[in-house]
Amino acid sequence: MNIFCRKIVETGQSLYVNNALLDPCWDTNPEVHNDGFRSYLGVPVFWPCGTAFGTFCVMDYKATDYQRTYIELITQLKELLESDLALIGCYAQMQQLAITDPLCDVNNRRGFNVLAEQRIKLAKRNDGLQGLLYLDIDRFKEINDLHGHGVGDLVLKAVARILSQSVAESDVVGRLGGDEFIALVAVKEMVEIDGLKQRIMHAIELCHCSEELPRFTVSIGYSLVSETIDICQLLDSADQDMLQNKQRIAG
């Protein structure tokens, strides 16, 4: 529709129309011919990234002749609003930093716990089946000792990426710290857990060649969400299953 605010958002420029009836470009503007507005003064408001948030505007039913000081006041109010938007953006960024692992770009323990608890509550209400995967890189200390911590970091990033790509977008992936990763996944039946574990291990096997990383393996355990289990018990159970699998491979 040919309306004033849309014009500002499209152009990114301020707009002052002192009498819309005198300008043919507003002949199809319903705000003029249906609502009776004659005057419009508006300025664009932007997010810190430069995208449009909206407009700050003044409309009148009669023609106006706003002076420069009035227009400057509107601009100052717009700048105050943009400053608030910048603070909102900074707060959101700080929140994200507080729940994200900076190396692997997945949830840290705090972020995982918050999101996992929400997903578990929702699944329980909907009778959904969920499992928790607990993944540990085998002999990770040897990788650091033989190849250096820089290569060790690349291995951690690769595992985080593979885990994130292997699960659904709505599943929750996190790094507990060190070489331990977790994923809360929604499944329809138990057999999907085994298939997911196989996909992860296969992807890790392939990344040795594609990314020129030292050969490494992972041990994966899992536990199922139940009505009575909490997030700490869920982690402990999956951790124990992972350790048993690791010992079985080592033995």
Side-chain angles (χ1 to χ4, degrees), residues 67-85:
Q67 301 302 305
R68 183 178 180 84
T69 53
Y70 190 84
I71 297 175
E72 288 177 349
L73 175 61
I74 296 294
T75 302
Q76 291 174 5
L77 292 173
K78 153 225 172 65
E79 291 172 351
L80 287 174
L81 181 54
E82 287 180 337
S83 296
D84 287 342
L85 291 177

Side-chain angles (χ1 to χ4, degrees), residues 119-138:
R119 296 290 199 281
I120 290 172
K121 288 179 181 178
L122 180 61
K124 287 180 178 179
R125 286 200 298 268
N126 298 327
D127 294 324
L129 181 62
Q130 287 182 313
L132 178 74
L133 296 182
Y134 198 116
L135 186 151
D136 180 89
I137 303 173
D138 299 323

Side-chain angles (χ1 to χ4, degrees), residues 170-187:
S170 58
D171 294 333
V172 185
V173 176
R175 179 188 177 200
L176 291 182
D179 60 337
E180 297 176 320
F181 295 85
I182 45 179
L184 181 70
V185 298
V187 294

Side-chain angles (χ1 to χ4, degrees), residues 154-155 157-158 161-162 203 206-214:
L154 293 178
V155 170
K157 291 179 181 179
R161 185 181 64 258
I162 289 170
L206 292 179
C207 86
H208 298 144
C209 301
S210 61
E211 302 183 31
E212 299 182 351
L213 294 174

Side-chain angles (χ1 to χ4, degrees), residues 57-74:
C57 61
V58 177
M59 304 175 72
D60 206 313
Y61 290 104
K62 62 180 183 296
T64 60
D65 183 21
Y66 296 136
Q67 301 302 305
R68 183 178 180 84
T69 53
Y70 190 84
I71 297 175
E72 288 177 349
L73 175 61
I74 296 294

Side-chain angles (χ1 to χ4, degrees), residues 227-239:
E227 286 291 334
T228 58
I229 196 170
D230 61 26
I231 189 67
C232 293
Q233 294 170 325
L234 196 64
L235 286 169
D236 288 341
S237 178
D239 184 20

Side-chain angles (χ1 to χ4, degrees), residues 114-170:
V114 171
L115 293 175
E117 287 179 355
Q118 293 175 348
R119 296 290 199 281
I120 290 172
K121 288 179 181 178
L122 180 61
K124 287 180 178 179
R125 286 200 298 268
N126 298 327
D127 294 324
L129 181 62
Q130 287 182 313
L132 178 74
L133 296 182
Y134 198 116
L135 186 151
D136 180 89
I137 303 173
D138 299 323
R139 300 182 179 87
F140 183 66
K141 184 178 183 302
E142 292 181 12
I143 296 175
N144 281 330
D145 292 343
L146 291 175
H147 304 280
H149 288 276
V151 173
D153 287 348
L154 293 178
V155 170
L156 292 172
K157 291 179 181 179
V159 171
R161 185 181 64 258
I162 289 170
L163 186 56
S164 298
Q165 293 173 347
S166 299
V167 302
E169 187 176 352
S170 58

